[in-house]
Amino acid sequence: MLRDFQTDKTLGEYDVCVVGGGPAGITLALKLVENGLRVALLEAGGLAYSEASQSLYAVEKQGLDLYAETTRLRYLGGTSNHWSGRCRPFEAADFTTPLPTGLPGWPISFEEFNRTLPAAMKILDLPEIGFSATHADMPGGLFSADRHAQSAPTRFGEKYLAAMKSSPTLHVHVNCNLVDLVFDPGSGAVSHLVVADYGGQRARIKAGRYVLATGAIENARLLLNSASLKSAALPAFRWVGRCLMEHLNVDLGTFMAAEGLQANDLQYFTSQALVTREGVGRGNIAFGKLAEVVSYGRTAAIKTFMKNLACNLGVADKAQFITHFQCPGAGTIGTLLEQFPSAQGSRVELADVRDALGLRKARVIWTLAPEDKQTIRRLSLAVAKNFAEAGLGFVKLHPAMTNEALDLPVSPHAHHMGTTRMASSAEWGVVDENCRMFGVRNLYIAGSSVFPTGGGGNPTMPLIQLALRLSEHMGRLGARM
Ligand SMILES: Cc1cc2nc3c(=O)[nH]c(=O)nc-3n(C[C@H](O)[C@H](O)[C@H](O)COP(=O)(O)OP(=O)(O)OC[C@H]3O[C@@H](n4cnc5c(N)ncnc54)[C@H](O)[C@@H]3O)c2cc1C
């Protein structure tokens, strides 16, 4: 059932109230009703984009720009309304490799995490063939061909709208903004939520359990804005907002492909041997050919550089390599690299300024820790060397890869993770193995904010895996508190 909170303030009592109608919230809500529970799904936006809703995503920024206002979308379907659909699963090593920043990683096993992979793949309309690559591994054993899969891309608001509308036990309230979570220290539980429409009119909603599924920045912002949670001074609360992670999109440089290299889209992934040897994060390094612009612009400059080098250089082996080198393709090298969680580094805090509904805005601080800079520089050198040694072509690295005095050319991927990290105790994180906030009996968190480490793959399929796991857990708990 779909209700517009702007005009219809009817709110029932529910077993579970899920806040946020993106991939995490929609997946969870639909599974919970399958498990026989009465569910409310509160979505801040409507069925389409609106400035009134989107403007509430304005943030204050420090450090590198995360583009947090424009990359997230604040209406039914959430950011899946414009996501690209690339999917890559976590690997066993993501759950066992110690983090160089000294923080603990996943408190659950890879096998446990991956139980829900087949169901997540179905939800995302992934091909049955699974994760594959279109080319061979890079010789040398340090970079394998990256195996990934492409979702349609599934737009959750559109695809699952009919199912949500037709369910009698799921009430979807759109234009319904969560503005406060009210925690009762006596019972150790959230007693109710306060929601508001776009006129600022407020109401209360009650459920046995609550789930925040508003994305990594908002999950943290909403918790930090809750005065009752803050004053309860729960040990887990000091972790809220910390350890924000993104995937590092680094302009590593340019390359010229060797003659006869057929692949149009070369994507490699770091091997565990390389990650261990270099003490770096894992991730994807993609060589994108610029077939149409081989003779002008940036690639023209490299060509000239190489021609001159080949003619003038006194180094026989390099000159030989370059003179044998034709230029059927040239292009740029981009990455999707793991950023490590850092307790004192990237994070979400509250700014002093308030939004139109009275909530303090988020201050998003995105910076590179020394370990991230090490990942970028060491991986760039390793990939350039291996690419050339494998006879695939020639890499010209961005000057910042070898000169530590220069700023690294890093931009984000819109993969926000880690602000309510999962841990085995409140000493190290916000939620437990079942995504329940430590110290609060009935508050759960869904989405990539719970990732204690982000790996080198895309976050949406794993966050769906976790939402499915949470639905199983809540199904076992049933309607009772
Ligand atoms: C351009 C782009 C391309 C991307 N490509 C990929 C990709 O290829 N692969 C990949 O894995 N990921 C990709 N992503 C990331 C992906 O979109 C996110 O991982 C995913 O959408 C997160 O899902 P979510 O449900 O946790 O959060 P969201 O999708 O952000 O949904 C959160 C929901 O909560 C609602 N909400 C917010 N505040 C409130 C409130 N106060 N009260 C009630 N509701 C609220 C919002 O309106 C929204 O509907 C991409 C992102 C972008 C921007």
Side-chain angles (χ1 to χ4, degrees):
M1 179 184 298
L2 183 70
R3 287 190 174 138
D4 186 343
F5 185 67
Q6 198 62 32
T7 50
D8 180 354
K9 300 283 183 285
T10 321
L11 296 169
E13 287 221 357
Y14 302 95
D15 299 319
V16 184
C17 176
V18 179
V19 185
I26 290 178
T27 300
L28 180 63
L30 286 171
K31 284 292 166 192
L32 291 174
V33 293
E34 268 180 31
N35 289 338
L37 298 172
R38 292 168 306 150
V39 179
L41 177 62
L42 312 184
E43 167 51 47
L47 299 186
Y49 180 93
S50 80
E51 206 44 51
S53 177
Q54 191 66 25
S55 62
L56 296 172
Y57 266 167
V59 302
E60 207 177 276
K61 19 186 148 165
Q62 256 180 38
L64 296 163
D65 198 344
L66 211 65
Y67 300 98
E69 293 93 348
T70 46
T71 50
R72 301 179 292 162
L73 287 177
R74 203 172 184 277
Y75 64 99
L76 192 68
T79 308
S80 80
N81 285 299
H82 70 176
W83 80 310
S84 311
R86 187 181 192 276
C87 297
R88 186 187 203 283
F90 272 116
E91 299 179 338
D94 286 310
F95 288 68
T96 52
T97 313
L99 294 170
T101 46
L103 292 167
W106 288 96
I108 53 176
S109 71
F110 171 66
E111 290 70 27
E112 168 59 19
F113 189 95
N114 246 19
R115 271 190 315 101
T116 49
L117 180 65
M121 289 173 67
K122 270 206 170 121
I123 288 170
L124 288 163
D125 309 304
L126 294 183
E128 278 186 10
I129 167 186
F131 308 96
S132 58
T134 51
H135 55 88
D137 292 350
M138 193 185 287
L142 296 183
F143 295 93
S144 54
D146 196 355
R147 288 167 179 79
H148 54 98
Q150 189 57 40
S151 166
T154 307
R155 310 271 177 233
F156 279 71
E158 290 165 23
K159 179 175 174 193
Y160 296 106
L161 184 61
M164 289 190 277
K165 274 184 169 170
S166 63
S167 168
T169 48
L170 171 62
H171 292 180
V172 181
H173 301 276
V174 293
N175 292 315
C176 187
N177 297 278
L178 173 66
V179 290
D180 197 13
L181 287 111
V182 181
F183 175 67
D184 169 29
S187 63
V190 170
S191 62
H192 63 276
L193 304 182
V194 181
V195 291
D197 70 10
Y198 286 92
Q201 209 177 327
R202 295 187 167 206
R204 288 175 167 208
I205 183 161
K206 277 180 88 67
R209 296 188 175 81
Y210 304 88
V211 185
L212 275 187
T214 60
I217 296 173
E218 293 307 288
N219 282 350
R221 176 165 93 110
L222 289 164
L223 290 173
L224 291 170
N225 262 292
S226 162
S228 49
L229 264 182
K230 187 179 174 206
S231 65
L234 303 168
F237 198 76
R238 72 196 163 90
W239 282 101
V240 175
R242 292 198 178 271
C243 299
L244 170 70
M245 296 174 284
E246 240 291 7
H247 283 125
L248 310 172
N249 187 3
V250 189
D251 171 11
L252 283 195
T254 47
F255 76 101
M256 304 289 280
E259 190 178 6
L261 193 65
Q262 290 304 323
N264 287 324
D265 179 24
L266 293 171
Q267 294 197 34
Y268 293 102
F269 200 81
T270 49
S271 70
Q272 186 57 26
L274 179 69
V275 165
T276 310
R277 190 188 80 184
E278 300 287 339
V280 294
R282 58 196 80 241
N284 165 290
I285 298 177
F287 292 78
K289 281 191 192 175
L290 301 177
E292 306 299 319
V293 289
V294 285
S295 54
Y296 59 90
R298 210 148 47 146
T299 45
I302 312 167
K303 271 179 147 180
T304 312
F305 161 80
M306 290 181 65
K307 210 173 104 203
N308 293 341
L309 203 63
C311 299
N312 304 332
L313 205 75
V315 187
D317 58 339
K318 278 218 173 103
Q320 211 184 19
F321 168 71
I322 291 163
T323 45
H324 281 106
F325 186 87
Q326 312 269 329
C327 310
T332 54
I333 313 165
T335 69
L336 188 158
L337 299 182
E338 176 169 18
Q339 176 172 32
F340 292 119
S342 160
Q344 306 305 329
S346 301
R347 61 195 179 276
V348 173
E349 300 177 343
L350 291 185
D352 294 330
V353 222
R354 291 180 184 269
D355 69 16
L357 295 178
L359 272 75
R360 285 172 70 186
K361 290 185 181 180
R363 178 183 299 126
V364 177
I365 303 171
W366 188 38
T367 56
L368 298 179
E371 294 81 2
D372 301 322
K373 294 182 181 171
Q374 177 163 302
T375 291
I376 295 168
R377 291 204 165 97
R378 291 193 177 173
L379 281 185
S380 69
L381 292 177
V383 80
K385 187 167 178 284
N386 276 259
F387 194 75
E389 283 175 359
L392 296 171
F394 178 85
V395 168
K396 180 168 187 264
L397 289 175
H398 187 287
M401 301 307 144
T402 45
N403 182 349
E404 296 199 3
L406 298 177
D407 286 340
L408 287 163
V410 179
S411 54
H413 270 285
H415 297 168
H416 309 145
M417 302 169 282
T419 57
T420 63
R421 70 195 316 265
M422 183 190 282
S424 55
S425 78
E427 194 188 342
W428 294 109
V430 178
V431 299
D432 70 10
E433 300 180 357
N434 292 315
C435 298
R436 185 179 64 83
M437 184 168 176
F438 290 111
V440 188
R441 287 197 293 123
N442 60 350
L443 178 60
Y444 294 78
I445 300 183
S448 48
S449 64
V450 306
F451 292 6
T453 165
N458 309 67
T460 306
M461 187 178 64
L463 72 83
I464 300 281
Q465 290 175 253
L466 279 180
L468 291 169
R469 187 168 169 271
L470 179 55
S471 75
E472 291 173 0
H473 176 70
M474 291 188 140
R476 280 193 294 274
L477 294 175
R480 78 198 142 77
M481 257 291 286

